[in-house]
Amino acid sequence: MKSIKFKLVLMFLTLVLFVMISSGVFIRISIQNSEASRIYEEMSNLAIGIEQEIIQTYIDHYTIAGEIALQPFDILQPGMQVEILNENGQGANGDFFVSSVIISAMAGNVGFNAWERAQGHDDALIAIWMSYAVPITVQATGENLILYLRQNVNSLHESLENTTITLAFSVALAMALATVVGTFFASTLTEPISALTKSSKEMAKGNLGHSIPVFSNDEIGQLTESFNHMGKSLLHTLESMNSDKTRMEIIIHSMTDGIIAFDKEKEIIHANQAAMEMTHATKITYKDILELLEIDDTDDASKDKVVEIDDKFIRREFTTYDNIHGEKDGTVIVMQDVTKQTKLDNMRKEFVANVSHEIRTPLTVIKTYAETLLDEEGIDDMARNFLNTINLEVDRMTLLAADLLELSHFDNKQLKIQNSQQDILKILHNSVKQTTIVAAKKNQTIQLFTETTAMPYYCDGGRINQVFVNIISNGIKYSPENTQIKITASQTDVGYTISIADNGIGIPTQDIEHIFERFYRVDKARSRAMGGIGLGLSIVKEILDLAGADINIKSRQGEGTEVIITFPIIAKANVFSI
């Protein structure tokens, strides 16, 4: 591909050549036409003079035997010839003259031919003529004659040729000058562009500090200044990015959490030292790390999980990130060593299970003694009140121990779940019957609205009943008197939905996400007064997880709470044996 400098010079030369040739041709044609017009005028005037002064006056002296014998006149001007011909184009010497102008005169018209070339036998150029012929009628005799004039224009032709040579030389000289000027002019444009090109190559190599000299204040000069400014800005940006990158790498490598990043081609782009130590790997591949950390990149449920690697417990989180076009650009795995916390939690759960198991025997003894003393006669009222308080607290402690023991069974996968084909709607009806008496004590009503006749589902009916009773009881407990508990059962394409809504005190927004945590109570004073220990919803969540169901809570403080339970139509059986 030709350079832009060559193209500019070529365009400039083409323009100059076109202008010069056009001007030369115009000048040559103008001179040629002007000379032809001048000679035509001279011949025309001369013909009129010959006709008036010679032919009309002396023609009768040349009539012989009825034929016209005309003698040629002397040459009136250098290079000009005059012949008087008869109407057939025959001269006085008997020769016939053949020319386009004579033919025009024979037809009664004035004939003129400029630049008529006369050639010899070997086609060599003899002379160049301008010919003129006009028909004349002799007034005395009525005869028709032809006045034929020729002007030799060899010298004029040579002058035109010299002019043409001069013009050609001028064109050549103009082209040479145009080449020099065009090259200089093109250089003023292309040299800054070449400098920009060279500088851009240097920038591509990473040399952003290279500055281009500015030689002008025109557009190219402004472009050069902008280019220099861009280079400085890029250098500053890259330095800032490198600084941020270095700082980020130091932070990441200093973190105790492991971080592994993969690009969209599933090639590793980053892994800190903590990640290498947690995985005990010297080389990490996408497939191996997913297998080691038990990650299914197609399942959102598996993206946050605690896995055991050798003797360590690792909490890992699998996250994808997108580019600016919204397309998946890679994945990041964050790992946290929770071995210490997990072991402490397991020890706590084991301790709670042991305490719950061991405390049941003394609680049974205390309750037996308290009931025995209450049955005795003759005890005073103060002692009876003390014994009733002891009896109630023992019941509360017994319930707490039972709940703790049940959660321990969930944790250790020791809870036996008896799954079978059940009707969720029938279980819900039974749960409503069980809680109606409790609601009546507070003058509350429970209304059940169903949009289907049956909800077949594979689950443990007793545990699902425990879930419904627990949630309805909470609605009754935390709602004022003379209110209503509204229960709605419906079916969609994906499963069954049970909604239990009350008009109680509600749950603050910031507490909803913690509501299923063990021992978590929104209002500790009120919960303690109502007998709440913060384990009911934890047990509900564990049961529903085993049943493959989901639970969500919508609530606004002071306006009530709605608990939504969704059972998928297709559920897997979950059976754990002791």
Side-chain angles (χ1 to χ4, degrees):
M1 183 177 179
K2 303 296 184 181
S3 66
I4 189 172
K5 181 177 181 180
F6 175 81
K7 293 179 180 179
L8 288 173
V9 173
L10 182 61
M11 291 172 60
F12 188 63
L13 290 178
T14 302
L15 177 62
V16 171
L17 181 63
F18 175 76
V19 172
M20 293 298 295
I21 291 177
S22 300
S23 301
V25 171
F26 176 77
I27 292 172
R28 167 66 187 265
I29 293 175
S30 297
I31 295 174
Q32 185 173 306
N33 291 338
S34 177
E35 291 297 323
S37 298
R38 180 182 63 79
I39 294 176
Y40 174 81
E41 291 293 332
E42 291 179 356
M43 288 183 174
S44 177
N45 293 332
L46 183 59
I48 294 173
I50 292 173
E51 178 186 4
Q52 293 177 353
E53 299 296 334
I54 300 175
I55 295 177
Q56 298 298 340
T57 304
Y58 302 103
I59 197 60
D60 56 330
H61 301 293
Y62 295 92
T63 303
I64 302 174
E67 294 182 1
I68 301 174
L70 300 176
Q71 297 298 324
F73 292 96
D74 294 333
I75 298 176
L76 302 179
Q77 293 183 11
M80 181 176 289
Q81 296 178 0
V82 179
E83 296 285 346
I84 298 178
L85 313 177
N86 64 11
E87 60 182 350
N88 296 319
Q90 186 179 24
N93 57 2
D95 294 334
F96 285 92
F97 289 80
V98 180
S99 176
S100 60
V101 295
I102 295 174
I103 295 173
S104 297
M106 291 170 63
N109 300 317
V110 176
F112 179 75
N113 188 2
W115 315 107
E116 182 180 11
R117 296 173 177 265
Q119 296 176 333
H121 297 290
D122 56 355
D123 294 334
L125 181 63
I126 299 176
I128 298 177
W129 302 89
M130 287 191 183
S131 303
Y132 179 86
V134 60
I136 300 173
T137 302
V138 181
Q139 297 177 359
T141 61
E143 293 177 281
N144 294 323
L145 303 176
I146 296 175
L147 179 59
Y148 176 50
L149 294 84
R150 290 197 306 173
Q151 173 70 52
N152 189 306
V153 291
N154 284 344
S155 60
L156 180 58
H157 181 266
E158 291 177 0
S159 177
L160 289 174
E161 291 297 323
N162 292 333
T163 301
T164 302
I165 293 173
T166 302
L167 291 174
F169 177 77
S170 300
V171 170
L173 180 60
M175 292 294 292
L177 294 175
T179 302
V180 175
V181 175
T183 302
F184 175 77
F185 173 73
S187 297
T188 60
L189 295 176
T190 57
E191 287 181 1
I193 296 176
S194 299
L196 287 174
T197 303
K198 182 179 179 181
S199 181
S200 64
K201 292 180 180 179
E202 291 293 328
M203 291 180 64
K205 296 177 182 178
N207 186 15
L208 299 177
H210 180 72
S211 180
I212 309 171
V214 181
F215 297 103
S216 62
N217 294 325
D218 56 8
E219 288 81 359
I220 294 180
Q222 295 175 6
L223 176 61
T224 304
E225 291 179 352
S226 299
F227 201 88
N228 290 334
H229 178 70
M230 180 186 67
K232 294 179 181 178
S233 298
L234 284 176
L235 180 61
H236 177 73
T237 302
L238 287 178
E239 289 177 349
S240 178
M241 291 177 61
N242 288 333
S243 177
D244 292 342
K245 180 181 178 182
T246 302
R247 182 167 54 253
M248 187 61 65
E249 288 180 351
I250 294 174
I251 293 173
I252 291 176
H253 280 287
S254 302
M255 291 176 61
T256 56
D257 292 348
I259 297 178
I260 303 175
F262 296 91
D263 60 16
K264 61 181 178 181
E265 304 298 333
K266 299 182 180 179
E267 296 291 334
I268 187 169
I269 57 177
H270 190 87
N272 64 356
Q273 185 62 32
M276 305 296 288
E277 294 176 355
M278 290 181 189
T279 57
H280 302 290
T282 56
K283 183 178 180 180
I284 296 177
T285 64
Y286 185 80
K287 180 180 179 182
D288 293 340
I289 201 67
L290 260 62
E291 182 178 351
L292 178 66
L293 298 178
E294 302 177 13
I295 297 174
D296 182 2
D297 54 2
T298 62
D299 184 11
D300 291 337
S302 71
K303 292 184 177 181
D304 186 5
K305 184 179 179 181
V306 176
V307 296
E308 184 176 359
I309 301 177
D310 296 336
D311 58 342
K312 292 184 178 181
F313 292 92
I314 305 297
R315 177 183 295 278
R316 51 92 177 135
E317 184 174 354
F318 180 85
T319 307
T320 61
Y321 59 90
D322 299 336
N323 57 22
I324 59 176
H325 303 293
E327 302 171 346
K328 182 179 178 181
D329 203 32
T331 55
V332 175
I333 301 174
V334 179
M335 297 176 291
Q336 184 181 12
D337 189 348
V338 293
T339 303
K340 184 177 181 180
Q341 296 91 322
T342 303
K343 289 182 178 180
L344 288 174
D345 189 54
N346 292 336
M347 292 175 61
R348 178 182 59 80
K349 292 178 180 178
E350 184 178 355
F351 172 77
V352 170
N354 293 335
V355 170
S356 301
H357 182 75
E358 295 297 331
I359 203 174
R360 295 178 68 182
T361 299
L363 288 176
T364 302
V365 173
I366 294 173
K367 183 174 179 62
T368 301
Y369 287 168
E371 290 177 346
T372 301
L373 291 174
L374 284 172
D375 291 338
E376 292 292 331
E377 296 181 358
I379 61 175
D380 56 19
D381 293 338
M382 181 178 293
R384 187 174 298 277
N385 289 334
F386 287 163
L387 290 173
N388 284 329
T389 301
I390 292 172
N391 197 23
L392 290 175
E393 291 300 326
V394 167
D395 289 339
R396 183 165 174 248
M397 290 294 295
T398 302
L399 180 60
L400 173 61
D403 287 343
L404 290 174
L405 192 60
E406 188 167 79
L407 286 173
S408 176
H409 290 161
F410 278 116
D411 294 335
N412 298 319
K413 303 293 188 292
Q414 295 177 344
L415 187 67
K416 188 174 182 180
I417 301 295
Q418 299 294 339
N419 287 338
S420 61
Q421 192 68 30
Q422 301 286 337
D423 185 354
I424 298 294
L425 192 58
K426 184 177 181 180
I427 297 174
L428 182 61
H429 277 285
N430 291 334
S431 301
V432 171
K433 289 180 181 179
Q434 294 176 23
T435 55
T436 299
I437 297 176
V438 180
K441 293 180 180 180
K442 298 181 67 174
N443 200 25
Q444 296 173 341
T445 58
I446 301 176
Q447 293 187 346
L448 175 60
F449 302 91
T450 61
E451 299 177 3
T452 181
T453 57
M455 294 181 175
Y457 194 75
Y458 191 77
C459 62
D460 187 330
R463 291 294 180 180
I464 298 302
N465 179 72
Q466 180 181 353
V467 169
F468 291 152
V469 170
N470 189 299
I471 295 174
I472 297 173
S473 298
N474 282 345
I476 296 171
K477 182 186 300 183
Y478 295 105
S479 296
E481 296 182 355
N482 303 313
T483 55
Q484 174 183 298
I485 309 298
K486 182 180 179 181
I487 304 174
T488 304
S490 60
Q491 180 177 349
T492 63
D493 295 336
V494 296
Y496 311 121
T497 301
I498 308 297
S499 170
I500 303 173
D502 60 50
N503 302 109
I505 59 177
I507 304 172
T509 303
Q510 66 272 16
D511 293 319
I512 292 179
E513 59 178 320
H514 304 288
I515 203 68
F516 296 110
E517 297 176 5
R518 298 179 185 182
F519 301 104
Y520 188 85
R521 291 177 293 183
V522 177
D523 188 341
K524 296 178 176 56
R526 174 173 289 191
S527 297
R528 188 177 295 110
M530 294 182 177
I533 56 177
L535 293 177
L537 289 179
S538 299
I539 296 174
V540 166
K541 186 69 168 61
E542 295 286 352
I543 294 173
L544 291 177
D545 286 344
L546 291 177
D550 294 326
I551 181 170
N552 292 292
I553 293 181
K554 297 179 180 180
S555 180
R556 295 187 65 178
Q557 192 171 11
E559 297 182 9
T561 302
E562 180 184 10
V563 180
I564 301 172
I565 304 173
T566 303
F567 296 89
I569 291 180
I570 300 176
K572 297 180 180 179
N574 297 282
V575 179
F576 298 97
S577 58
I578 299 176

